[in-house]
Each structure stands twice: as C-alpha cells, then as structure tokens.
Amino acid sequence: MSSILPTTRKSIMTLFTGSDPQSHRTRIVLHEKDIECQVAEIDPAKKPRELADLNPYNQVPTMVDRDLVLYESQIINEYLDERLPHPPLMPVDPVSRAKARLMLMRFERDWYSILPDITGGDKRTAQKARNVLRDGLTVISPVFKQQPYILGAEFSMVDCALAPILWRLKLYGIDLPRQAKPVLDYAEDRLFARKSFKLSLTETERSMR
C-alpha cells in the first residue's frame, strides 16, 4: 500500500478525516483559521493501515503535525486554537473558557454520543435519539433571539461543534418545531453562510442537503 502521508519534510499538518460530524467540526476549525493542512479523506470501509499505526483507536479525525499525533476532535481543535491563536475560537478569559468547555462537554455527552443510534440503531432506539436531539435544540433556540452566536457576539469553538449537527438534521430525519425557528435561522444565516463552513464541506456532506 502506498503512503498517504506527505512525502516531503515540509512543516505541514496532515488531517485524516471522514464525512462524520467529529471530522467535520475539525475541518471547520482548520478553515476558520486558514491553516495550511493536507487533508486525507478516509473511506471508513477501507481505512489505510497507517491510520491504525498512528491512532490506537483507528478512527478519524487524526492529525499529524511533524512528530506529534493527535486524535479526538476536541483535543485537535484546542491544539489548533492554541498553536495558531488568531483568530481565537475559545474565549480568552478563564471563566468564559471554562463555560465554553462545559458546553462542549454537554454537546459531546448529550448529542454527539447518540448520533450513532440515529444512523445505526434499531427503529425504536433511533427515534428516541432523534427526540432527544430535537428537544435539546428546541430548548437552546431562544438564545439566538438575543445574540448571533451561542456564546455571544463572536463565532467560537462551540459553534464549530454545533454546525455539523445542524447541517445533518435532514439526514437524521429530524424536523424541528416552529418554536425552534431561531436556531434554524442561526444555522442558515450565520453558520452555513460562513466561508469556513462552505470550504469545510466534503462532496458527501454537500449531498446531505
């Protein structure tokens, strides 16, 4: 098998990615920061042997930056934000940064964790997961009547985490109720319209809508 890693010793990052939400949120961060990076799109049914050599969990996203190998989307994203701090995607002050991390943790546990149930669970399990996600998005919807982004006036890492889920609502078979219109407006007018989001999309992701 030929290598899919860079063949030169340039100081360039490589991101192994799929069309899954976790990979997507990292690609949004890459483009938001305009980071030079070689993106290697992985077919989940034909993962290269190199991926397992790099990542003991043999999963995407996985990032290589010279001798450093990172996996798990949020770890990669925070590394990118700290390594290339402009524009910052995490709040600068410790209290706001801690609140952002709590929100990211809740998204991970409450929503990202149930996405496999929607796409691969039995009918009952999938519907239960859809209901959880639909209700959760409806609950946070009023936030976007008062501010443009989830943390306030500025686009942040938390928006990067929410965008892939909102993009996939049709794929997941989720129709948000009328009272969730603010979150749909936020998605269409503020997230999906961003240059970084448009550039982040794979061909597979474009076909989801």
Side-chain angles (χ1 to χ4, degrees):
M1 179 184 297
S2 62
S3 174
I4 59 174
L5 285 171
T7 57
T8 66
R9 296 299 295 175
K10 292 180 181 178
S11 58
I12 186 171
M13 300 178 186
T14 299
L15 177 69
F16 295 88
T17 179
S19 289
D20 58 285
Q22 295 280 14
S23 293
H24 191 181
R25 65 198 278 199
T26 293
R27 279 183 271 110
I28 295 170
V29 172
L30 279 178
H31 289 289
E32 194 68 31
K33 289 181 167 288
D34 195 24
I35 296 172
E36 182 182 3
C37 181
Q38 176 172 314
V39 178
E41 192 169 351
I42 301 301
D43 181 346
K46 299 178 182 178
K47 292 179 181 177
R49 185 170 54 196
E50 286 165 286
L51 184 60
D53 292 340
L54 291 166
N55 182 338
Y57 302 101
N58 193 26
Q59 64 188 24
V60 291
T62 295
M63 172 163 278
V64 180
D65 185 7
R66 301 183 188 182
D67 296 327
L68 177 67
V69 179
L70 296 173
Y71 34 90
E72 293 300 323
S73 181
Q74 190 52 35
I75 293 173
I76 296 170
N77 292 353
E78 289 207 30
Y79 169 75
L80 293 173
D81 199 45
E82 292 169 0
R83 190 180 187 282
L84 297 105
H86 302 289
L89 291 175
M90 288 293 282
V92 176
D93 69 281
V95 172
S96 297
R97 192 160 58 246
K99 289 179 179 178
R101 285 181 173 139
L102 277 175
M103 193 170 290
L104 287 164
M105 181 271 291
R106 292 195 63 181
F107 284 0
E108 196 73 42
R109 291 189 180 185
D110 296 350
W111 295 346
Y112 271 86
S113 67
I114 63 174
L115 298 182
D117 292 338
I118 295 176
T119 56
D122 60 74
K123 187 175 181 180
R124 183 176 179 181
T125 300
Q127 189 55 52
K128 181 180 179 181
R130 286 189 193 98
N131 293 344
V132 169
L133 185 52
R134 180 200 63 207
D135 294 348
L137 289 170
T138 302
V139 166
I140 69 167
S141 188
V143 168
F144 302 106
K145 289 182 178 180
Q146 303 169 11
Q147 57 196 41
Y149 297 105
I150 197 160
L151 295 183
E154 301 296 331
F155 182 85
S156 74
M157 195 74 76
V158 187
D159 299 290
C160 293
L162 191 50
I165 293 176
L166 293 171
W167 182 256
R168 289 163 173 75
L169 290 182
K170 183 177 180 181
L171 176 71
Y172 296 151
I174 296 174
D175 291 316
L176 294 183
R178 184 172 54 188
Q179 59 264 40
K181 186 177 184 299
V183 78
L184 293 174
D185 292 342
Y186 151 76
E188 293 292 339
D189 300 339
R190 282 160 263 166
L191 296 184
F192 305 159
R194 290 182 77 86
K195 180 181 178 181
S196 61
F197 184 87
K198 293 176 181 178
L199 290 172
S200 75
L201 294 169
T202 64
E203 288 300 323
T204 299
E205 286 161 347
R206 289 190 184 96
S207 69
M208 291 175 181
R209 294 166 60 92

